[in-house]
Amino acid sequence: VRTARVEAQAQAASLAASLGEAEADRMASNVVLRAASAGATAEAVSLAVALGEAEADGMASHAALRDASTERAAQAASLAASLGEAEADAERRSQASAEAEARS
C-alpha cells in the first residue's frame, strides 16, 4: 500500500510539474504574441505616418504647381495686354501718318 501511495504521489508530482511547464510555455507564448502584436502595431503606425507625410508632400507639390500655373497665366495675360496696346499704338501711328500724308 505504501509503494502504491508513493507511486501515486510521484505521478501527482510529475503531473504537477508537467502542468507547470505547460503553463510556463503558455505564458511565454503569450509574451511572444504580445511582442509580435506590439511590433505589428508600431509598423502600422509608422506606415500611417509615412503615408500622411507622402500625402502632405503631394498636396504641397500640387499647391506649388497650381501657384506656378496661376503665375504663368497672369504673365500670359499681361503679355497679351501689352501686345494689344502695342497693336493699338501701331494703328494710331498708322492713322496719324495717313492723315499727315493726306494733309500734305
Side-chain angles (χ1 to χ4, degrees), residues 45-75:
V45 168
S46 175
L47 288 173
V49 168
L51 178 60
E53 290 172 353
E55 287 178 348
D57 288 348
M59 287 190 286
S61 295
H62 184 69
L65 287 173
R66 191 173 44 238
D67 290 347
S69 176
T70 301
E71 185 178 332
R72 295 284 189 233
Q75 287 175 349

Side-chain angles (χ1 to χ4, degrees), residues 5-97:
R5 186 179 289 166
V6 170
E7 286 180 17
Q9 288 175 343
Q11 285 180 343
S14 176
L15 287 173
S18 294
L19 181 59
E21 290 173 4
E23 182 65 14
D25 286 348
R26 185 189 66 77
M27 289 170 52
S29 293
N30 282 344
V31 168
V32 169
L33 287 174
R34 273 195 297 262
S37 176
T41 300
E43 187 174 346
V45 168
S46 175
L47 288 173
V49 168
L51 178 60
E53 290 172 353
E55 287 178 348
D57 288 348
M59 287 190 286
S61 295
H62 184 69
L65 287 173
R66 191 173 44 238
D67 290 347
S69 176
T70 301
E71 185 178 332
R72 295 284 189 233
Q75 287 175 349
S78 176
L79 288 173
S82 295
L83 180 60
E85 290 171 6
E87 287 176 345
D89 286 346
E91 183 63 29
R92 281 192 293 272
R93 281 191 218 116
S94 176
Q95 278 185 329
S97 177

